[in-house]
Amino acid sequence: MLFGTLELNHFVVAVIDIGRPVNFTGGLEFSGLTYTVTKKEKLEGKWKKQEADLLHKITGYAPKGCITAVMGPSGAGKSTFLDALAGRIANGSLNGRVSLDGVEMNPSLVKRSSAYIMQDDRLFPMLTVYETLMFAADFRLGSISITDKKQRVEKLIEQLGLSSCRNTYIGDEGTRGVSGGERRRVSIGVDVIHGPSLLFLDEPTSGLDSTSAHSVIEKVHHIARSGSTVILTIHQPSSRIQLLLDHLIILARGQLMFQGSPKDVALHLGRMGRKVPKGENSIEYLIDVIQEYGVSEVGVEALAEFARTGMKPPPLSEQEMSISTIAPTPKTPAHHSHHNGEGPGDKEKSGKRLHLRGHSGNDFARSVRSPYNTSKSWSANPSGVIQTLRFTPSRKTNDHNMQNSMSTSPGYAYSSEIIPRTPTPHSSDYTVNENDYLTPYVDPKTMSDQHLGPKFPNSFLAETWILMRRTFKNIRRTPELFLSRLVVLTVMGIMMATMFKNPKANLQGITNRLSFFIFTVCLFFFSSNDAVPAFIQERFIFVRETSYNAYRASSYTIAGLITYLPFLALQGAVYAVIVWFALNLRGPFLYFFLVLYVSLVSTNSFVVFVSSVVPNYILGYAAVIAFTALFFLFCGYFLSSKDIPWYWRWMNKVSTMTYPYEGLLMNQYQTDIVFGTNSDGSVIQGFNILDSLHISTHESKKWENVLIMLGWAVLYRILFYLILRFASKNQRT
């Protein structure tokens, strides 16, 4: 409720109701964020379902142009809170409101205006730093020319300090590449290439040494100063990193413990009745105090109530305070800190469902300092209202990046200086142009899906072409994947050509030839099994890239299929040429090759589909082997389709080995040529062999089998697409 305004030296002092968030010129606001899950607990010997809040009524903001750090003990709910802000919690599971620059956000707007950098770096190891960022530019900046994309990438490489490793492979466990800190900066570059208004980072310093961690946060600080709203989770940052943090949100058990400038933590503790010991870091001491309350009978709820209403928590006894020495996160003085946010990722622990009482009469002093004239301040009046500053309309348009950012906790505000010109250990490094990262400015009053442009930066065909180029480059850089298959098929073809050459003209000779055909079908089925771990590793990259509409799942599906087709054709052709002439097979060679080729395509599609369903490659191999055994059992080699029990006959139809096996036999034996004699001296023609196996002797049936194999390949690719489209979302339920 606006009570009045007072103009003063290009600023407007606005008096507002303390029940509303403090106004500021831009950034992310959130109110009443509550994430409730249902869990089973054993009470009195019986399992009962209970609701638990992983997040409970969290209200606050993250100012634009600043780094907002989300901190707290392990299990505080940091990652869950970040997911809630980033729209990564399924609809219906999260309550509350999130708005950007005054406009309420929905998942569609979040995807197009933000980027989320995960704790683990998911990058293609055989691409260089430059290639990785160029492909990111191709995906995210579809509307600009290739020259502009290259210039953007070159500038970003320079800004992220990656010039020395520009042409170095990303690398992995088996390939030497960039360092951990450089890899993390590449991950950040991939997600900021399109200039997102919001940037979320989950433990960006995890696993890094002190120097690398500080370098990463410096670059993030640079990005924030260029006009983005940056929110990150961090665990136990060093004192150097703390100097780069502008705004703090400290959580414990899903509840807000503190919100404001790092400089105001000591004041918060003083009002709580706890003085920071000499030589201690105030932030770490606050977290220690939180853990003391967490293991006491009072609980952290009292601290959440204090942060929300100002009601002072009851003091702890000396015995309760001493218990905190066994808390999970030990106290680390700033001058002895060697860890820089590299703690383990939060596995959120649910707390009991809370119902906090509201309190009024919070009249202790509040102050807000102007970031442009820090020598002046204003105090709240006794009626319980708060004063804040904002620009007059006479300011220049580009001033929307210069934030009047105020540090506040729900209930009272603190003095703060979190502004784009906040001094840092290397403040001269941050004299940047706001267009360096091309953060798009959209008027909140007109922001909508239409104003943010198309849902995807590129057309379907453009996405497919970019994905094909990237996939082909990865295949070319990892030739062992297809060379191993090619070598196996070549060696096995030579072995088969020598083992089954010149079959005898009797029943045993016919049986040997049937064994050759079924072994060929099984060999081609097994040759695609190595696609299981390949896609499972790539799936994480797919989830990250499509979480924010870099490309469509359909274009990814089509691009993968088209890129693999020529490699599969080469494998089939090499094997077919070796065995065809050595074994003197009959029928059209083109049909023989086509059956092998389509068999590879359908098998590859099946294996890729299985890989999209299973969570890891161990289960993937187990599933593929199990289905291979079933398909082999019911393909018609052990029992013909007529001899299979009626209740299992459907398995013969769904077996992807049935159709290539029958197709190869029909190509060989759809003739009246004699292939042997019975024991009674009667001749055995090709048609007789097919009749005994209950396989059709009609020429058209050969091509029907090819079409059915193609149909299975298409069906598996469609199922693969549906899994990617609807089941491969990085969201909490």
Side-chain angles (χ1 to χ4, degrees), residues 339-571:
H339 301 282
N340 301 277
E342 60 271 35
D346 291 333
K347 293 184 179 180
E348 317 305 351
K349 302 176 182 178
S350 60
K352 296 181 180 179
R353 194 158 178 77
L354 304 172
H355 301 281
L356 301 178
R357 300 188 310 274
H359 291 271
S360 59
N362 174 27
D363 294 329
F364 52 78
R366 308 169 178 91
S367 65
V368 177
R369 185 177 301 164
S370 165
Y372 300 97
N373 188 356
T374 56
S375 63
K376 299 180 180 180
S377 61
W378 295 263
S379 299
N381 60 26
S383 61
V385 296
I386 193 170
Q387 298 175 331
T388 183
L389 307 177
R390 60 184 178 182
F391 298 118
T392 60
S394 63
R395 300 286 291 181
K396 293 182 180 180
T397 304
N398 63 4
D399 275 348
H400 70 272
N401 280 328
M402 303 298 291
Q403 303 306 310
N404 176 20
S405 304
M406 290 156 294
S407 171
T408 181
S409 288
Y412 61 93
Y414 293 125
S415 155
S416 173
E417 295 178 358
I418 47 174
I419 61 173
R421 293 179 293 209
T422 299
T424 68
H426 305 285
S427 59
S428 59
D429 295 340
Y430 301 106
T431 305
V432 298
N433 186 335
E434 68 183 35
N435 293 323
D436 284 345
Y437 292 94
L438 292 187
T439 303
Y441 175 70
V442 183
D443 187 347
K445 296 180 180 178
T446 60
M447 186 168 67
S448 64
D449 288 0
Q450 290 74 23
H451 286 84
L452 287 175
K455 185 175 182 180
F456 296 95
N458 298 287
S459 65
F460 173 80
L461 292 178
E463 288 176 358
T464 304
W465 174 243
I466 297 170
L467 287 164
M468 287 174 59
R469 288 194 293 112
R470 187 175 71 175
T471 304
F472 181 79
K473 184 165 290 190
N474 278 308
I475 292 174
R476 185 166 58 85
R477 299 266 174 85
T478 53
E480 60 273 10
L481 182 63
F482 279 93
L483 282 178
S484 60
R485 299 183 192 177
L486 193 61
V487 169
V488 168
L489 290 175
T490 300
V491 172
M492 295 305 300
I494 295 173
M495 295 179 66
M496 300 287 280
T498 54
M499 285 184 62
F500 293 98
K501 191 175 183 179
N502 301 322
K504 296 179 180 180
N506 55 23
L507 288 175
Q508 185 60 49
I510 295 172
T511 301
N512 292 345
R513 186 53 55 91
L514 295 178
S515 300
F516 160 75
F517 287 124
I518 189 61
F519 185 85
T520 295
V521 172
C522 290
L523 175 64
F524 273 59
F525 199 99
F526 277 110
S527 68
S528 295
N529 286 8
D530 55 1
V532 174
F535 172 74
I536 288 178
Q537 292 175 355
E538 190 172 323
R539 179 171 59 188
F540 295 104
I541 300 177
F542 167 83
V543 170
R544 175 179 61 81
E545 292 179 332
T546 55
S547 293
Y548 294 91
N549 296 345
Y551 50 81
R552 300 167 178 83
S554 56
S555 60
Y556 178 83
T557 304
I558 297 298
L561 175 61
I562 295 176
T563 308
Y564 279 70
L565 288 179
F567 295 97
L568 298 177
L570 178 62
Q571 295 172 28

Side-chain angles (χ1 to χ4, degrees), residues 591 659 662-663 666-667 670 687 690 695-708:
Y591 182 84
Y659 306 100
E662 291 184 354
M666 285 187 284
N667 192 53
Q670 277 186 351
F687 289 122
L690 294 180
I695 296 175
S696 175
T697 58
H698 296 290
E699 180 73 15
S700 61
K701 186 67 175 178
K702 289 171 55 176
W703 298 101
E704 182 180 326
N705 278 12
V706 172
L707 292 177
I708 292 175

Side-chain angles (χ1 to χ4, degrees), residues 61-63 66-70 229-233 245-249:
Y61 71 96
C66 301
I67 294 182
T68 297
V70 182
T229 301
V230 177
I231 306 173
L232 57 85
T233 61
L245 306 179
D246 303 309
H247 190 65
L248 291 184
I249 294 175

